[in-house]
Amino acid sequence: MAALDCSGVTVSFGGHLALDDVDVTAADGAVTGLIGPNGAGKTTLFNVVCGLLTPSRGVVSLGGRELNRLPPYKRARLGLARTFQRLELFGLLTVRENVLVAADVRGTMGAAEVEAVIERVGLAGRIDDRVDELPTGQARLVEIARALATRPRVLLLDEPASGLDERETDELGRLLRELAAEGMAVLLVEHDVRLVMEVCDLIHVLDFGRIIAVGDAATVRSDEAVLAAYLGGSLEAS
Amino acid sequence: MVLAAWLAQGLGPALDASSDVDKFLSFTVAGLSVAAILAVGASGLVLTYTTTGVFNFAHGAIGMLGAFAYWQLRFDWGWPAPLAIATVLFVLGPLFGALLELVIFRGLQQTTETVKLVVTVSLLFSLIGLANWVWDPDVLRRDAKFLSGRGFDVAGVAVTWHEFITIVVAVAVAAGLRVLLYHTRAGIAMRAAVDDRPLAALNGARPDRSSMLAWAIGSSLAALSGILFVGTISLAPAPMSLLIVNAYAAAMIGRLRSLPMTFVGALVLGLTEGYLRGYLSDWTDNNQYFDSTFVSAVPVIVLFVVLLVLPSARLRAHGTARTREVVPMPSMRGAFTFAAVVVAGTALAIPLLTTANAVTMGRMYGLAIVALALVPLIGLAGQVSLAHWSLAGIGAVTMAHLGTGGSPMGIVWAFVFTALVGALIALPTLRLSGIYLALATAAFAVFLDRWVFRLRPFDLPFTDVKIALFGTGSVGVPDLKLFGYTFDTYYRQLMLMATTFALMSVFVVWLRRSRFGRRLLAMKDSPAACATVGMNLTMTKLTIFAVSAGMAGIGGALIGSLQGSTNQQNWEFTVGLPVFMVAVVGGIQRVGGALFAGISLAVLAAMPDWPVLRNVSWFPNLATVTPGLMGIGLGRNPNGAVADMREAFEPLARARAVFLAFLAALGALYLYVVTSDVGAWWLIIGGVVLLLGATAFVQSRARGADTGAAGPQPMFAGDELEWVGIDRPFTPDDLAALDDRLGALEVR
């Protein structure tokens, strides 16, 4: 059974179908990619999964338990964590305090483990800096650390590599593989196709609110519908 | 006519005779007249909000000022009515609106909602003060209808000319605004400016000009509603300014966006008020509790309900805004030191205080406690409340009734009861934030003002308990007794209030440092992120609302006890606004900000009685207006005045030797003043001189050390190079320094 199962999810904003009967799964111990052009509906799906948006139709399940009627905080307590495309940090607090808030709320870890999580994402040197003073790339890492502090079963990452340089992106890729190796289900939305192709076990491609392809990196890379969605160009180049 | 008869039948037994149809129609006409005024007022409010993004709490006060200006021209100076109206609507109103935009509102772009709220509330307060200053409040100004006379009959119902003109004006305003916003370039530019100001500018629009036009029209509409009110009520600055709260409900029915729905809302409110005035006594069998005070409270009840049933503003991920706000993390040691200084300082001051000064200082701590209650709620959690002064009033009433004989249980109940009422407000408003939360809490406060606090004594349903809030107008509040010790003099009360404030300060610092405090700050920054890490926002908001309300209740109980009695006027909505405003000005994230509010407000209230100011006739008015001016001028600093003061005096605290010398000198001065009869003023003046002198000395020493230090010196002392020429003009010295650094002297 997949850790996260989205089945037939449909969202409409007025007359516009943002998601149309979307099926996405994320398995334990794997990194699952969700890619697509801008406006394809990736962030909308994340908002549905974590409860910030109510779907018109469809079911979201975590470990077989239906989440549709649960508020966001209860979904988080069942093991769902996420980062945001547009940063949602606690800007008045330091890096340490941002992660501590999550750890305290869930009672998942103490101060020493919080420091270890921060070190793991590579922010040990900025642990007591206010997060609104950090560059965007590092701020994204704070969001990842904060999500990890809840010890999630499923981790939703919304463009985590945006703002990172090549070396930092490679580090992030290694971290995602480590997390999967520890048994976590990672669902990754990312525009950096190289990262997605390197780290994902399974990739879903979304375009205009519909899933147009599912498969491993090689399958997706050669899918004609996917290539067309990316303006007919090569996925390597996008 | 058939429709009226059918509606009249629907209203039940009160309308079973044909003459009752006339009665029904006459109340319909009266209701339509009220609706028309509300529509004009609310449409101005919606116009400025939709085009500039600022919800103007002072809209009613601008209308009030317009009404007074009209009265001045029409009746005091004898101008013909059309000329007076045209002058107010087409000259004074627009000019005033444009001036407000230029001086105040243009600077509010990119500021937080709390800042916008403080500035507009401050403007409201200032305009009320200004009107009381310019126009003698003791002069009766009322019943100035247009075209006095009976008017004409419609289907047997008398319609006065004033009612007819009012309704026609509202229809004309509705049509005019529709044409302006949707069929003129200026209107389209106004709407574009609020959607995306920079984008509108890039596309050739001039957002500043559009905003100015919107404020000019909005002010003119406010003035028009004020003038229309002149025919129905007496002119009085504060009540008239708050009449606009009735129009808030109409604006909210239009969701602050839709003018047609706003007019529908006004219609519903106006007719409801008209019919309630006509039939409420019949429907409630002359129940004394549902009298005219209840009718006047209906619009705020509607406002509260509309806010609650508005489509839910779900948690949205919006991206973290970068702000300059800093929420300090004081140490517990610092908190205890602060508390000790407050208590010891008060104890040392007592030998020097007259009874009147002891009362002033006690009131200062009372106000500071109420302001302190706002620190965790607004400063940490970001939840705005305009109802805290009313909650303090509930604390005072609770102490009056349940603190019999000075029982400390009165204080305990004051805390518990106000905490429960706070939770009661919070529960339905949990999903509101920003301006909507401010409006909901304001509606609750005005509801208490207009109805609950004026209720005659009544029996609590299903019990034998008799509730008499303010008795027949005023109720005695006993002196507190604690462990056999009675706080029965003003000096003892002062010490009690100082100690309470000190203990509460320690509590607030502890709260800030706690896990819960961290959660509050997280919630303030991003509720969406909080929810996605598992935080129960409902419980968090409910808890902090209750705790904060309870703290305000204790403040109210102690203020009531200090006064010896309390009445409804003590806790009116407008009386409490300065506490909110000046607490934000002082620094709503800090304990020091609350003390700043207490000191500022108590001193301003006491200053007109000071010997040197007693004979200055205009000073009381200036003192009334000052909190508002402080809010307008200083409310934009996100960290408050206390943060700036702390920064200025911190070097002194760090220069240990100079600081000790300063304390020694202050101690010596204190001993001299206590043992001689020179008066406490010498201590205050001497203390300030010593403080400023010691600070200047430390700063000059630091500058000297900098000058002697090795390494490159700043080119312009105190100024960043890139700002010279922008912040201030280049001086010849600047140019010489620049030439020197560039080696230009040699070239010359």
Side-chain angles (χ1 to χ4, degrees), chain B residues 576-595:
Chain B
L577 286 178
V579 179
F580 163 73
M581 284 159 10
V582 184
V584 174
V585 168
I588 197 67
Q589 313 87 344
R590 299 157 193 273
V591 166
L595 188 58

Side-chain angles (χ1 to χ4, degrees), chain B residues 494-515:
Chain B
L494 170 59
M495 278 312 297
L496 171 69
M497 296 178 90
T499 309
T500 308
F501 174 75
L503 291 174
M504 283 186 162
S505 299
V506 172
F507 169 71
V508 170
V509 170
W510 171 82
L511 193 69
R512 161 65 183 96
R513 297 182 59 83
S514 69
R515 291 177 178 186

Side-chain angles (χ1 to χ4, degrees), chain B residues 707-729:
Chain B
T707 310
Q713 297 304 308
M715 193 177 298
F716 308 116
D719 289 315
E720 298 287 341
L721 171 62
E722 61 268 34
W723 292 108
V724 176
I726 298 172
D727 277 355
R728 61 175 175 79

Side-chain angles (χ1 to χ4, degrees), chain B residues 238-257:
Chain B
M240 233 186 136
S241 300
L242 286 186
L243 273 176
I244 197 68
V245 175
N246 299 1
Y248 290 170
M252 270 306 152
I253 289 173
R255 298 185 67 187
L256 291 177
R257 285 200 304 263

